[in-house]
Amino acid sequence: MSSQLIFQEDSYVREFDCKIISVNEEENAVVLDKTAFYPGGGGQPCDLGVLETASNTYTITKVKKKGDHIYHYIDGKLPEVNEACTGKIDWERRYKLMRTHTAMHILSAVAWRDYKAQVTGGDMELLKGRMDLEFENFDKELILEIEKKINEEVENGRSIKIDILEREEAFKIPDLIRTKINLLPEGIREIRTVEIEGLDYQADGGTHVKNTTEVGKVKVVNYKSKGKINKRLYIELED
């Protein structure tokens, strides 16, 4: 049985009722009939939080997708199969990751729109991230220009929409895959898309804010050359 993936539909759900449908003693993990916990991917770390039952509170130390299931790793004794519980996301942490992920999309959108620079890699933490882009030349002036454009788009208050499309329909969208390598396996028939209205449209599975103004001020704090046409930018968001 596959779990209902609440985080794909609504990134703002921070508490939800669910049921344990299986336990894995070797992994010390449980599978839920529905989950709002993001399992990590695309550079975004997984969510953390707790599961509460009528008698216990279980700390979730990691969430990971394995095959068709999402494993919620428990600190300590496992709950029982079919036990009803309430999942609670560490919301402060999740929201910072949502803001950061959206900031990364704005950065990649600006790089593509204005410089036709593709993404070659990336990673993020709470309120900070790094992105590798196909730039041949980089200097302080260009960095300041990119930073200014990112913050202009944040302040533009663009709405962010999530959709799930059939693969054939999704790949009709120009530049849907912004990375240098298409990381979507052929077997995936439905593609989740994230649209920053008027700016960006990408295939993406992570969590995002609803409006760019929620991102807050973005600072490009460093940059490095990672090769002849590969440059790395580091960004940080104001807390």
Side-chain angles (χ1 to χ4, degrees):
M1 182 189 297
S2 297
S3 305
Q4 177 189 345
L5 306 181
I6 299 170
F7 61 83
Q8 284 197 343
E9 305 159 14
D10 188 350
S11 296
Y12 287 79
V13 173
R14 60 183 80 180
E15 185 174 322
F16 61 99
D17 294 327
C18 54
K19 185 175 71 172
I20 310 290
I21 58 174
S22 69
V23 300
N24 186 309
E25 293 184 2
E26 185 178 344
E27 299 274 359
N28 214 68
V30 301
V31 177
L32 309 174
D33 65 335
K34 64 184 75 169
T35 185
F37 286 92
Y38 181 63
Q44 181 178 339
C46 70
D47 285 326
L48 303 176
V50 297
L51 282 178
E52 293 182 352
T53 66
S55 57
N56 284 303
T57 297
Y58 301 89
T59 300
I60 295 175
T61 59
K62 182 174 68 172
V63 185
K64 185 176 181 180
K65 189 174 189 298
K66 297 192 72 172
D68 294 331
H69 298 298
I70 293 179
Y71 279 23
H72 303 72
Y73 292 79
I74 301 294
D75 181 19
K77 182 184 174 184
L78 291 168
E80 300 289 331
V81 174
N82 292 323
E83 198 165 359
C85 50
T86 299
K88 295 184 177 181
I89 305 287
D90 179 342
W91 176 249
E92 182 179 355
R93 181 178 185 277
R94 153 73 82 82
Y95 189 61
K96 287 178 180 179
L97 288 169
M98 287 164 59
R99 291 172 54 207
T100 307
H101 200 162
T102 301
M104 298 285 277
H105 274 231
I106 295 171
L107 167 56
S108 71
V110 166
W112 178 254
R113 181 193 65 190
D114 297 343
Y115 310 99
K116 287 294 178 268
Q118 284 188 305
V119 176
T120 58
D123 203 7
M124 71 187 82
E125 303 173 47
L126 274 68
L127 302 181
K128 62 174 65 174
R130 60 99 175 156
M131 183 170 287
D132 296 344
L133 295 156
E134 278 196 330
F135 273 99
E136 188 165 355
N137 298 305
F138 239 33
D139 56 30
K140 181 74 171 179
E141 186 176 338
L142 180 57
I143 289 296
L144 291 173
E145 180 178 291
I146 291 172
E147 180 184 273
K148 181 173 181 289
K149 289 178 177 181
I150 292 170
N151 285 296
E152 285 173 351
E153 295 301 342
V154 169
E155 293 166 5
N156 277 340
R158 297 184 184 273
S159 296
I160 296 159
K161 299 194 303 182
I162 306 296
D163 205 355
I164 297 177
L165 306 175
E166 292 295 326
R167 188 182 185 94
E168 292 75 13
E169 182 183 357
F171 276 89
K172 292 177 183 176
I173 300 168
D175 306 319
L176 182 71
I177 308 299
R178 197 65 48 74
T179 52
K180 182 69 173 174
I181 301 172
N182 183 352
L183 300 176
L184 293 172
E186 285 295 329
I188 295 179
R189 303 316 308 163
E190 290 187 332
I191 309 295
R192 182 175 181 269
T193 61
V194 175
E195 179 184 7
I196 304 176
E197 289 188 320
L199 177 66
D200 191 43
Y201 208 159
Q202 290 192 51
D204 183 84
T207 59
H208 290 269
V209 294
K210 291 180 179 177
N211 191 283
T212 57
T213 55
E214 295 179 61
V215 169
K217 188 171 180 59
V218 180
K219 187 80 175 172
V220 179
V221 295
N222 198 6
Y223 64 96
K224 295 178 181 178
S225 177
K226 302 299 290 184
K228 184 178 179 182
I229 57 167
N230 196 28
K231 304 298 183 288
R232 178 171 291 179
L233 275 75
Y234 296 86
I235 66 167
E236 290 185 4
L237 280 64
E238 285 189 353
D239 199 350

